[in-house]
Amino acid sequence: MTVFEQTDSFDRKSDYPISELDLLVKSNEPVNHEYRQLILAAPADLLDRCRAGQFFHLLCPQTADHRPFLRRPMSIYGFYPQSGELHFLFKVTGTGTRALATLQPGDRLSVAGPLGKPFEIEDSWQHLVLVARGVGLATLAPLALEAHRLDRKLTAICSARHRDYLLSIDYFKDLGADVIAITDAEGTSDVDHLERLLEDLVQQGKADVFYTCGSNRILTLLKKIGKRHSIPGQIALEQQMACGLGMCHCCVRPFEQNGQIVNLRVCREGPVFDLQAALAW
Amino acid sequence: MVDLSVDIGGLKLINPIMPASGTFSEELAEVFDLERLGAHVTKTITRDWRNGNPTPRVCEISGSMLNSIGIPSKGIQAFLENTIPFYRQYAAPLVVSISGNTADEFAALCADISVDGVDAIEVNISCPNIEEDGKAYAIRPSTTYEVMRKLRKATDLPLWAKLTPNTGETPEVARAAEEGGADALVVANTILSMAIDIDSRKPRLGNLMGGLSGPCLKPISLRMAYQCAKATNIPVIGCGGVSTAEDVIEYLIAGASAVQVGTASFLNPTAMIRIVDELVAWMVRNDVSSMDELIGSINDGEQSEGLVFMESAP
Ligand SMILES: Cc1cc2nc3c(=O)[nH]c(=O)nc-3n(C[C@H](O)[C@H](O)[C@H](O)COP(=O)(O)OP(=O)(O)OC[C@H]3O[C@@H](n4cnc5c(N)ncnc54)[C@H](O)[C@@H]3O)c2cc1C
Ligand SMILES: Cc1cc2nc3c(=O)[nH]c(=O)nc-3n(C[C@H](O)[C@H](O)[C@H](O)COP(=O)(O)O)c2cc1C
Ligand code: FES
């Protein structure tokens, strides 16, 4: 098998689809022990360019305790041109996100974006199935809004360690989605149970496409079911980034394309990829 | 009116700001007008497909970063078909960075890449030379001279030699590059470094070691740029840790005729055009009207060669 890295080519641009902007923090509230929701005031022309599945690269602030150097990639959790708001949902894990957690209303945050390839919803995909775990919900939430706008049926299977960590359930419900919550604590999140749930949806004709993000177990399962029933799928993946634009090639992951293993840039060819091309890690 | 233009061995640049190889690509055209840059410098390519190194390929350290990207390359064919035509839409000169595992392979690529649309060739002689146990050509004056001679014979285009800080013989290597036929020196590449996660005790880069870039590198590259400008009669292009107009001015005063900006573009994609604007503002404020008033204007008194070309800290 040959291994190579792929890039694409462009025409000269006269308008600039990607912006670097200092935005005002409107709020930055905890939603539970681990997660916070960050709301920024953003100009409409920026929000008009946002699509579900895309991300921004955030220059986290320097604080007395935390000095992140590189930007941090963060999915668009919500974008609302009418109210002029850009939302992020983030898990506080290390240096960058701890620094991000210190932002107060009135502070400014430098964002670069919108970046990357969004989710696609083809015309023939009437019944969408979304399987999300943990902070993956942040990435998939705007897809639910888009499905609602396009008048598609949506089933959201939300997985978490415990009910307390199930995010966005009400958000999905409000958008008219069928929500199925599964948790480790209740013993409902294991692969066998998830497989039965998904097979049921397939039998009922309620699965034209699968959407998911970043869990190895879920990826492997969805690939198997997708192959079995010829159901397409898309997955949003993560990788450490430096430039976020496609310049540095640090964010590559291996994918299978036409029988070859190719390294693709998560920031540029992704973060949304074809489910069957994605490789478990 | 301030005049930002500089002359790099006959090549005219509208301003002294250009990207560093490996930190720039066509994608940046989606952020700002690339015509505002002094030149365009592409990521180092090799003749054939190359895969690059295992991930993680970058890690951040306090105030800077390490990378071990390697040189994933699409190969020369894809470069000729896609990359060169893309940059042809711009008047800014195109500088193509190349490397090769052996001096002959390097020279052959240099000849094949000397095509219409390319305005200068930056030879990344800081990459490993297989014939010398993987040591970079630019670590030693002898290997620098040999490879530069072969490269010089392979092209009529301006040749820029990119030096490495991983040498103890900076002035000698710079002179060897000049004697071998370099038209300019790019000073410099990243310095070999390492970082370890103390919890897992694992190296933080997939490739074990990598190159340090960003603000921490600047004093080292600046010292080298100064030494190279003193040691040779060809233009020096400073590279390492530039993120503000003040950094550019410091390099120019040390003797550089232009600078390359790398890591700063990762933190701020618009860094290079912001630096150009800041540079104009600084010149107006300080009543400086041309780059010549800055280049090599260092007040270093009558220092002895022993001091200028020192290769150890006092
Ligand atoms: C496209 C994309 C979208 C994302 N969306 C979200 C989101 O909506 N909400 C959320 O909570 N998290 C999201 N992440 C993960 C988020 O970027 C990381 O949690 C964050 O970078 C961690 O930074 P840190 O400094 O707190 O952690 P540290 O562990 O201190 O980070 C060290 C380095 O590793 C990188 N890194 C660590 N974990 C990840 C990771 N999972 N993915 C990529 N880089 C990582 C950091 O960026 C940093 O460069 C997303 C990642 C990607 C690639
Ligand atoms: C991610 C990354 C990739 C790089 N790739 C190359 C390369 O392909 N060829 C090269 O000559 N230098 C390469 N460099 C080195 C830069 O061109 C530059 O010499 C170095 O980063 C110092 O400048 P800076 O501090 O402004 O980043 C790379 C640097 C980085 C950070
Ligand atoms: S982060 Fe630089 S190429 Fe993806």
Side-chain angles (χ1 to χ4, degrees):
Chain A
M1 269 205 253
T2 45
V3 182
F4 59 87
E5 293 191 4
Q6 185 180 302
T7 48
D8 37 12
S9 50
F10 309 87
D11 293 327
R12 180 161 177 184
K13 295 280 192 306
S14 51
D15 51 349
Y16 305 103
I18 299 167
S19 309
E20 180 190 332
L21 289 172
D22 281 342
L23 300 182
L24 196 70
V25 175
K26 283 178 102 169
S27 70
N28 182 14
E29 295 293 320
V31 291
N32 60 31
H33 289 350
E34 294 177 334
Y35 295 89
R36 298 181 84 92
Q37 184 172 359
L38 175 65
I39 301 182
L40 307 176
D45 76 293
L46 179 75
L47 297 166
D48 283 339
R49 276 181 272 139
C50 295
R51 295 288 174 272
Q54 288 189 304
F55 68 99
F56 277 85
H57 219 186
L58 310 182
L59 195 62
C60 306
Q62 302 284 312
T63 71
D65 299 327
H66 308 292
R67 306 206 156 271
F69 182 69
L70 297 168
R71 284 178 183 259
R72 300 295 194 264
M74 220 45 89
S75 298
I76 300 170
Y77 179 54
F79 55 100
Y80 305 97
Q82 265 108 39
S83 57
E85 284 182 355
L86 179 59
H87 294 201
F88 297 98
L89 182 72
F90 68 96
K91 184 174 176 179
V92 181
T93 51
T95 315
T97 45
R98 279 191 205 122
L100 209 55
T102 67
L103 283 174
Q104 301 290 325
D107 288 348
R108 292 201 164 259
L109 175 68
S110 168
V111 308
L115 298 166
K117 228 178 81 209
F119 288 110
E120 287 160 21
I121 305 181
E122 286 187 10
D123 292 344
S124 60
W125 298 344
Q126 290 299 322
H127 288 272
L128 319 185
V129 177
L130 165 168
V131 185
R133 181 162 171 101
V135 82
L137 282 161
T139 311
L140 292 164
L143 184 66
L145 187 60
E146 184 64 6
H148 178 72
R149 205 180 59 79
L150 295 171
D151 207 19
R152 306 297 165 90
K153 304 259 183 314
L154 176 73
T155 306
I157 302 179
C158 303
S159 170
R161 267 182 291 143
H162 189 271
R163 287 217 163 243
D164 293 350
Y165 293 99
L166 278 167
L167 300 160
S168 314
I169 297 261
D170 294 334
Y171 179 82
F172 287 130
K173 280 189 181 147
D174 289 346
L175 291 170
D178 282 338
V179 177
I180 303 173
I182 54 180
T183 63
D184 301 355
E186 294 160 313
T188 48
S189 63
D190 61 292
V191 175
D192 291 341
H193 184 236
L194 182 56
E195 181 166 5
R196 282 196 299 279
L197 285 173
L198 289 163
E199 282 291 346
D200 280 351
L201 289 171
V202 173
Q203 298 316 323
Q204 294 165 36
K206 286 185 179 172
D208 295 334
V209 57
F210 297 128
Y211 297 96
T212 189
C213 43
S215 150
N216 229 344
R217 280 189 315 149
I218 298 176
L219 166 64
T220 308
L221 176 63
L222 287 178
K223 275 178 80 166
K224 190 172 83 178
I225 299 176
K227 242 193 202 121
R228 192 183 290 154
H229 302 286
S230 300
I231 296 171
Q234 301 191 342
I235 182 167
L237 290 170
E238 296 183 357
Q239 180 62 287
Q240 198 192 357
M241 295 185 180
C243 74
L245 286 165
M247 305 193 290
C248 73
H249 288 253
C250 86
C251 65
V252 297
R253 298 179 72 111
F255 292 86
E256 197 177 334
Q257 265 186 359
N258 311 318
Q260 288 187 319
I261 301 294
V262 296
N263 270 337
L264 299 177
R265 297 164 297 180
V266 170
C267 74
R268 188 75 198 184
E269 283 85 37
V272 176
F273 293 93
D274 177 67
L275 188 68
Q276 295 297 341
L279 300 176
W281 56 94
Chain B
M1 261 305 275
V2 296
D3 178 7
L4 292 186
S5 70
V6 291
D7 188 314
I8 307 293
L11 195 63
K12 280 258 178 222
L13 314 187
I14 57 162
N15 66 53
I17 312 299
M18 68 185 100
S21 175
T23 65
F24 174 74
S25 66
E26 293 93 307
E27 285 85 354
L28 204 58
E30 302 193 0
V31 185
F32 64 82
D33 184 3
L34 302 186
E35 202 67 281
R36 295 202 54 204
L37 301 174
H40 300 152
V41 184
T42 52
K43 166 90 185 164
T44 303
I45 59 159
T46 50
R47 174 173 299 279
D48 301 312
W49 286 110
R50 275 174 58 145
N51 188 32
N53 287 324
T55 54
R57 288 178 169 187
V58 297
C59 71
E60 65 176 36
I61 53 156
S62 152
S64 280
M65 65 177 281
L66 310 188
N67 88 82
S68 59
I69 307 286
I71 303 187
S73 174
K74 296 179 282 176
I76 182 172
Q77 211 49 44
F79 190 82
L80 293 172
E81 281 165 20
N82 306 321
T83 312
I84 294 176
F86 173 85
Y87 289 106
R88 223 185 240 132
Q89 353 165 37
Y90 298 97
L94 177 63
V95 182
V96 172
S97 171
I98 60 169
S99 87
N101 289 324
T102 66
D104 289 325
E105 185 193 313
F106 209 147
L109 177 60
C110 186
D112 292 346
I113 208 77
S114 297
V115 298
D116 211 32
V118 176
D119 299 291
I121 298 177
E122 182 175 294
V123 289
N124 182 2
I125 58 171
S126 1
C127 65
N129 171 2
I130 290 192
E131 290 159 324
E132 294 283 333
D133 296 333
K135 288 200 163 49
Y137 299 92
I139 286 182
R140 298 197 191 102
S142 57
T143 45
T144 301
Y145 179 72
E146 280 159 34
V147 73
M148 288 309 299
R149 279 266 312 253
K150 289 190 172 167
L151 290 162
R152 182 68 283 168
K153 288 203 186 109
T155 188
D156 293 328
L157 287 172
L159 263 189
W160 298 2
K162 182 149 178 192
L163 304 190
T164 173
N166 303 312
T167 176
E169 302 178 273
T170 302
E172 292 82 0
V173 167
R175 279 189 211 109
E178 181 182 29
E179 280 160 27
D183 297 296
L185 303 173
V186 180
V187 185
N189 214 309
T190 54
I191 193 161
L192 190 62
S193 307
M194 192 170 184
I196 300 169
D197 181 302
I198 59 167
D199 294 323
S200 65
R201 305 191 185 191
K202 281 190 187 153
R204 287 175 57 203
L205 289 173
N207 194 52
L208 199 62
M209 293 178 234
L212 170 70
S213 66
C216 293
L217 184 61
K218 201 188 83 180
I220 298 167
S221 313
L222 183 78
R223 179 268 299 173
M224 289 182 66
Y226 171 69
Q227 292 180 317
C228 291
K230 290 272 180 194
T232 69
N233 293 308
I234 50 178
V236 168
I237 298 160
C239 177
V242 173
S243 57
T244 65
E246 282 75 13
D247 295 331
V248 178
I249 293 157
E250 203 176 346
Y251 270 105
L252 295 179
I253 292 172
S257 298
V259 298
Q260 295 186 343
V261 179
T263 304
S265 294
F266 297 169
L267 302 195
N268 297 99
T270 58
M272 287 187 282
I273 52 171
R274 191 202 65 225
I275 293 172
V276 172
D277 292 340
E278 284 175 5
L279 189 58
V280 172
W282 187 92
M283 289 172 74
V284 170
R285 261 198 328 274
N286 291 276
D287 201 21
V288 172
S289 58
S290 79
M291 293 293 122
D292 282 343
E293 293 173 43
L294 292 171
I295 298 169
S297 62
I298 182 167
N299 281 321
D300 56 356
E302 292 293 311
Q303 303 287 11
S304 69
E305 284 224 335
L307 216 48
V308 170
F309 298 136
M310 197 159 59
E311 288 286 327
S312 64

PDB file of all heavy atoms in Angstrom, chain A residues 55 57 239-252 265-268, chain B residues 69 266, ligand 3:
ATOM      1  N   PHE A  55     -15.271  24.378  12.634  1.00  0.00           N
ATOM      2  CA  PHE A  55     -14.718  24.757  13.931  1.00  0.00           C
ATOM      3  C   PHE A  55     -14.020  26.107  13.842  1.00  0.00           C
ATOM      4  O   PHE A  55     -13.799  26.641  12.747  1.00  0.00           O
ATOM      5  CB  PHE A  55     -13.759  23.681  14.438  1.00  0.00           C
ATOM      6  CG  PHE A  55     -12.481  23.552  13.637  1.00  0.00           C
ATOM      7  CD1 PHE A  55     -11.300  24.156  14.070  1.00  0.00           C
ATOM      8  CD2 PHE A  55     -12.427  22.812  12.460  1.00  0.00           C
ATOM      9  CE1 PHE A  55     -10.117  24.025  13.338  1.00  0.00           C
ATOM     10  CE2 PHE A  55     -11.254  22.677  11.730  1.00  0.00           C
ATOM     11  CZ  PHE A  55     -10.092  23.292  12.174  1.00  0.00           C
ATOM     12  N   HIS A  57     -10.565  28.258  15.578  1.00  0.00           N
ATOM     13  CA  HIS A  57      -9.301  28.055  16.273  1.00  0.00           C
ATOM     14  C   HIS A  57      -9.177  29.215  17.253  1.00  0.00           C
ATOM     15  O   HIS A  57      -9.132  30.380  16.843  1.00  0.00           O
ATOM     16  CB  HIS A  57      -8.171  28.074  15.244  1.00  0.00           C
ATOM     17  CG  HIS A  57      -7.109  27.069  15.513  1.00  0.00           C
ATOM     18  ND1 HIS A  57      -5.953  27.008  14.780  1.00  0.00           N
ATOM     19  CD2 HIS A  57      -6.998  26.093  16.431  1.00  0.00           C
ATOM     20  CE1 HIS A  57      -5.197  26.027  15.253  1.00  0.00           C
ATOM     21  NE2 HIS A  57      -5.809  25.468  16.245  1.00  0.00           N
ATOM     22  N   GLN A 239      -7.773  15.923  16.034  1.00  0.00           N
ATOM     23  CA  GLN A 239      -6.325  15.712  16.021  1.00  0.00           C
ATOM     24  C   GLN A 239      -5.688  17.012  16.492  1.00  0.00           C
ATOM     25  O   GLN A 239      -6.255  18.090  16.296  1.00  0.00           O
ATOM     26  CB  GLN A 239      -5.851  15.351  14.610  1.00  0.00           C
ATOM     27  CG  GLN A 239      -4.362  15.096  14.442  1.00  0.00           C
ATOM     28  CD  GLN A 239      -3.852  13.924  15.262  1.00  0.00           C
ATOM     29  OE1 GLN A 239      -3.724  14.019  16.483  1.00  0.00           O
ATOM     30  NE2 GLN A 239      -3.539  12.820  14.599  1.00  0.00           N
ATOM     31  N   GLN A 240      -4.541  16.882  17.108  1.00  0.00           N
ATOM     32  CA  GLN A 240      -3.856  18.085  17.569  1.00  0.00           C
ATOM     33  C   GLN A 240      -3.523  18.988  16.379  1.00  0.00           C
ATOM     34  O   GLN A 240      -3.141  18.507  15.319  1.00  0.00           O
ATOM     35  CB  GLN A 240      -2.579  17.692  18.286  1.00  0.00           C
ATOM     36  CG  GLN A 240      -2.073  18.815  19.147  1.00  0.00           C
ATOM     37  CD  GLN A 240      -0.683  18.573  19.650  1.00  0.00           C
ATOM     38  OE1 GLN A 240      -0.096  17.525  19.404  1.00  0.00           O
ATOM     39  NE2 GLN A 240      -0.153  19.541  20.340  1.00  0.00           N
ATOM     40  N   MET A 241      -3.671  20.282  16.571  1.00  0.00           N
ATOM     41  CA  MET A 241      -3.455  21.219  15.468  1.00  0.00           C
ATOM     42  C   MET A 241      -2.473  22.316  15.839  1.00  0.00           C
ATOM     43  O   MET A 241      -2.362  22.688  17.001  1.00  0.00           O
ATOM     44  CB  MET A 241      -4.783  21.866  15.082  1.00  0.00           C
ATOM     45  CG  MET A 241      -5.766  20.865  14.536  1.00  0.00           C
ATOM     46  SD  MET A 241      -7.268  21.655  13.958  1.00  0.00           S
ATOM     47  CE  MET A 241      -8.154  20.201  13.407  1.00  0.00           C
ATOM     48  N   ALA A 242      -1.796  22.835  14.813  1.00  0.00           N
ATOM     49  CA  ALA A 242      -0.977  24.033  15.029  1.00  0.00           C
ATOM     50  C   ALA A 242      -1.602  25.187  14.253  1.00  0.00           C
ATOM     51  O   ALA A 242      -2.107  26.134  14.829  1.00  0.00           O
ATOM     52  CB  ALA A 242       0.465  23.787  14.624  1.00  0.00           C
ATOM     53  N   CYS A 243      -1.626  25.094  12.906  1.00  0.00           N
ATOM     54  CA  CYS A 243      -2.116  26.231  12.122  1.00  0.00           C
ATOM     55  C   CYS A 243      -3.629  26.239  11.956  1.00  0.00           C
ATOM     56  O   CYS A 243      -4.239  27.297  11.841  1.00  0.00           O
ATOM     57  CB  CYS A 243      -1.433  26.262  10.752  1.00  0.00           C
ATOM     58  SG  CYS A 243      -2.018  24.991   9.614  1.00  0.00           S
ATOM     59  N   GLY A 244      -4.248  25.065  11.908  1.00  0.00           N
ATOM     60  CA  GLY A 244      -5.694  24.972  11.725  1.00  0.00           C
ATOM     61  C   GLY A 244      -6.170  25.274  10.312  1.00  0.00           C
ATOM     62  O   GLY A 244      -7.352  25.184  10.020  1.00  0.00           O
ATOM     63  N   LEU A 245      -5.249  25.651   9.429  1.00  0.00           N
ATOM     64  CA  LEU A 245      -5.615  26.113   8.086  1.00  0.00           C
ATOM     65  C   LEU A 245      -5.210  25.153   6.977  1.00  0.00           C
ATOM     66  O   LEU A 245      -5.635  25.312   5.839  1.00  0.00           O
ATOM     67  CB  LEU A 245      -4.918  27.447   7.795  1.00  0.00           C
ATOM     68  CG  LEU A 245      -5.438  28.692   8.493  1.00  0.00           C
ATOM     69  CD1 LEU A 245      -4.413  29.811   8.382  1.00  0.00           C
ATOM     70  CD2 LEU A 245      -6.749  29.130   7.872  1.00  0.00           C
ATOM     71  N   GLY A 246      -4.324  24.227   7.281  1.00  0.00           N
ATOM     72  CA  GLY A 246      -3.846  23.319   6.245  1.00  0.00           C
ATOM     73  C   GLY A 246      -2.395  23.551   5.862  1.00  0.00           C
ATOM     74  O   GLY A 246      -1.891  22.934   4.928  1.00  0.00           O
ATOM     75  N   MET A 247      -1.706  24.429   6.574  1.00  0.00           N
ATOM     76  CA  MET A 247      -0.351  24.799   6.170  1.00  0.00           C
ATOM     77  C   MET A 247       0.732  23.883   6.740  1.00  0.00           C
ATOM     78  O   MET A 247       1.754  23.671   6.109  1.00  0.00           O
ATOM     79  CB  MET A 247      -0.056  26.241   6.591  1.00  0.00           C
ATOM     80  CG  MET A 247      -1.075  27.249   6.068  1.00  0.00           C
ATOM     81  SD  MET A 247      -0.537  28.957   6.245  1.00  0.00           S
ATOM     82  CE  MET A 247      -0.626  29.188   8.018  1.00  0.00           C
ATOM     83  N   CYS A 248       0.530  23.365   7.960  1.00  0.00           N
ATOM     84  CA  CYS A 248       1.663  22.744   8.666  1.00  0.00           C
ATOM     85  C   CYS A 248       1.699  21.215   8.591  1.00  0.00           C
ATOM     86  O   CYS A 248       2.717  20.609   8.892  1.00  0.00           O
ATOM     87  CB  CYS A 248       1.677  23.197  10.120  1.00  0.00           C
ATOM     88  SG  CYS A 248       0.382  22.455  11.145  1.00  0.00           S
ATOM     89  N   HIS A 249       0.594  20.571   8.258  1.00  0.00           N
ATOM     90  CA  HIS A 249       0.544  19.106   8.150  1.00  0.00           C
ATOM     91  C   HIS A 249       0.798  18.390   9.473  1.00  0.00           C
ATOM     92  O   HIS A 249       1.271  17.257   9.480  1.00  0.00           O
ATOM     93  CB  HIS A 249       1.519  18.582   7.090  1.00  0.00           C
ATOM     94  CG  HIS A 249       1.072  18.891   5.696  1.00  0.00           C
ATOM     95  ND1 HIS A 249       0.576  17.941   4.838  1.00  0.00           N
ATOM     96  CD2 HIS A 249       1.016  20.057   5.022  1.00  0.00           C
ATOM     97  CE1 HIS A 249       0.248  18.512   3.699  1.00  0.00           C
ATOM     98  NE2 HIS A 249       0.503  19.798   3.785  1.00  0.00           N
ATOM     99  N   CYS A 250       0.484  19.022  10.597  1.00  0.00           N
ATOM    100  CA  CYS A 250       0.672  18.309  11.864  1.00  0.00           C
ATOM    101  C   CYS A 250      -0.558  17.497  12.233  1.00  0.00           C
ATOM    102  O   CYS A 250      -0.488  16.600  13.048  1.00  0.00           O
ATOM    103  CB  CYS A 250       1.052  19.270  12.987  1.00  0.00           C
ATOM    104  SG  CYS A 250      -0.345  20.025  13.808  1.00  0.00           S
ATOM    105  N   CYS A 251      -1.718  17.820  11.636  1.00  0.00           N
ATOM    106  CA  CYS A 251      -2.995  17.252  12.103  1.00  0.00           C
ATOM    107  C   CYS A 251      -3.441  16.060  11.283  1.00  0.00           C
ATOM    108  O   CYS A 251      -4.622  15.741  11.270  1.00  0.00           O
ATOM    109  CB  CYS A 251      -4.063  18.333  12.055  1.00  0.00           C
ATOM    110  SG  CYS A 251      -4.385  18.862  10.359  1.00  0.00           S
ATOM    111  N   VAL A 252      -2.529  15.370  10.608  1.00  0.00           N
ATOM    112  CA  VAL A 252      -2.950  14.289   9.716  1.00  0.00           C
ATOM    113  C   VAL A 252      -3.409  13.050  10.485  1.00  0.00           C
ATOM    114  O   VAL A 252      -2.976  12.810  11.616  1.00  0.00           O
ATOM    115  CB  VAL A 252      -1.823  13.873   8.731  1.00  0.00           C
ATOM    116  CG1 VAL A 252      -1.462  15.020   7.809  1.00  0.00           C
ATOM    117  CG2 VAL A 252      -0.602  13.378   9.487  1.00  0.00           C
ATOM    118  N   ARG A 265      -5.451  15.835   6.246  1.00  0.00           N
ATOM    119  CA  ARG A 265      -5.393  16.840   7.305  1.00  0.00           C
ATOM    120  C   ARG A 265      -6.783  17.007   7.929  1.00  0.00           C
ATOM    121  O   ARG A 265      -7.732  17.336   7.233  1.00  0.00           O
ATOM    122  CB  ARG A 265      -4.928  18.182   6.740  1.00  0.00           C
ATOM    123  CG  ARG A 265      -3.526  18.148   6.161  1.00  0.00           C
ATOM    124  CD  ARG A 265      -3.258  19.351   5.286  1.00  0.00           C
ATOM    125  NE  ARG A 265      -4.137  19.369   4.127  1.00  0.00           N
ATOM    126  CZ  ARG A 265      -4.124  20.307   3.189  1.00  0.00           C
ATOM    127  NH1 ARG A 265      -3.270  21.303   3.271  1.00  0.00           N
ATOM    128  NH2 ARG A 265      -4.958  20.255   2.172  1.00  0.00           N
ATOM    129  N   VAL A 266      -6.856  16.811   9.234  1.00  0.00           N
ATOM    130  CA  VAL A 266      -8.151  16.935   9.912  1.00  0.00           C
ATOM    131  C   VAL A 266      -8.675  18.370   9.796  1.00  0.00           C
ATOM    132  O   VAL A 266      -9.868  18.594   9.645  1.00  0.00           O
ATOM    133  CB  VAL A 266      -8.039  16.494  11.392  1.00  0.00           C
ATOM    134  CG1 VAL A 266      -9.309  16.837  12.163  1.00  0.00           C
ATOM    135  CG2 VAL A 266      -7.765  14.993  11.474  1.00  0.00           C
ATOM    136  N   CYS A 267      -7.789  19.346   9.792  1.00  0.00           N
ATOM    137  CA  CYS A 267      -8.242  20.744   9.752  1.00  0.00           C
ATOM    138  C   CYS A 267      -8.752  21.150   8.374  1.00  0.00           C
ATOM    139  O   CYS A 267      -9.504  22.112   8.254  1.00  0.00           O
ATOM    140  CB  CYS A 267      -7.124  21.689  10.176  1.00  0.00           C
ATOM    141  SG  CYS A 267      -5.834  21.913   8.933  1.00  0.00           S
ATOM    142  N   ARG A 268      -8.361  20.432   7.339  1.00  0.00           N
ATOM    143  CA  ARG A 268      -8.648  20.897   5.990  1.00  0.00           C
ATOM    144  C   ARG A 268      -9.543  19.932   5.206  1.00  0.00           C
ATOM    145  O   ARG A 268     -10.596  20.314   4.726  1.00  0.00           O
ATOM    146  CB  ARG A 268      -7.324  21.092   5.236  1.00  0.00           C
ATOM    147  CG  ARG A 268      -7.490  21.747   3.894  1.00  0.00           C
ATOM    148  CD  ARG A 268      -7.753  23.216   4.072  1.00  0.00           C
ATOM    149  NE  ARG A 268      -8.319  23.788   2.876  1.00  0.00           N
ATOM    150  CZ  ARG A 268      -8.571  25.090   2.726  1.00  0.00           C
ATOM    151  NH1 ARG A 268      -8.300  25.924   3.693  1.00  0.00           N
ATOM    152  NH2 ARG A 268      -9.102  25.538   1.630  1.00  0.00           N
TER     153      ARG A 268
ATOM    154  N   ILE B  69       7.366  17.454  11.820  1.00  0.00           N
ATOM    155  CA  ILE B  69       6.500  17.160  10.677  1.00  0.00           C
ATOM    156  C   ILE B  69       7.235  16.236   9.718  1.00  0.00           C
ATOM    157  O   ILE B  69       6.663  15.309   9.174  1.00  0.00           O
ATOM    158  CB  ILE B  69       6.125  18.467   9.911  1.00  0.00           C
ATOM    159  CG1 ILE B  69       5.547  19.524  10.855  1.00  0.00           C
ATOM    160  CG2 ILE B  69       5.202  18.150   8.742  1.00  0.00           C
ATOM    161  CD1 ILE B  69       4.164  19.303  11.333  1.00  0.00           C
ATOM    162  N   PHE B 266       0.928  30.744  12.731  1.00  0.00           N
ATOM    163  CA  PHE B 266       0.046  29.745  13.347  1.00  0.00           C
ATOM    164  C   PHE B 266      -0.791  30.410  14.440  1.00  0.00           C
ATOM    165  O   PHE B 266      -1.952  30.090  14.628  1.00  0.00           O
ATOM    166  CB  PHE B 266       0.843  28.593  13.975  1.00  0.00           C
ATOM    167  CG  PHE B 266       1.649  27.780  12.991  1.00  0.00           C
ATOM    168  CD1 PHE B 266       2.584  26.864  13.441  1.00  0.00           C
ATOM    169  CD2 PHE B 266       1.464  27.916  11.615  1.00  0.00           C
ATOM    170  CE1 PHE B 266       3.318  26.093  12.546  1.00  0.00           C
ATOM    171  CE2 PHE B 266       2.194  27.152  10.712  1.00  0.00           C
ATOM    172  CZ  PHE B 266       3.127  26.236  11.189  1.00  0.00           C
TER     173      PHE B 266
HETATM  174  S1  FES C   3      -3.285  22.094  11.768  1.00  0.00           S
HETATM  175 FE1  FES C   3      -1.844  22.752  10.307  1.00  0.00          FE
HETATM  176  S2  FES C   3      -2.368  21.514   8.624  1.00  0.00           S
HETATM  177 FE2  FES C   3      -3.919  21.038  10.024  1.00  0.00          FE
END
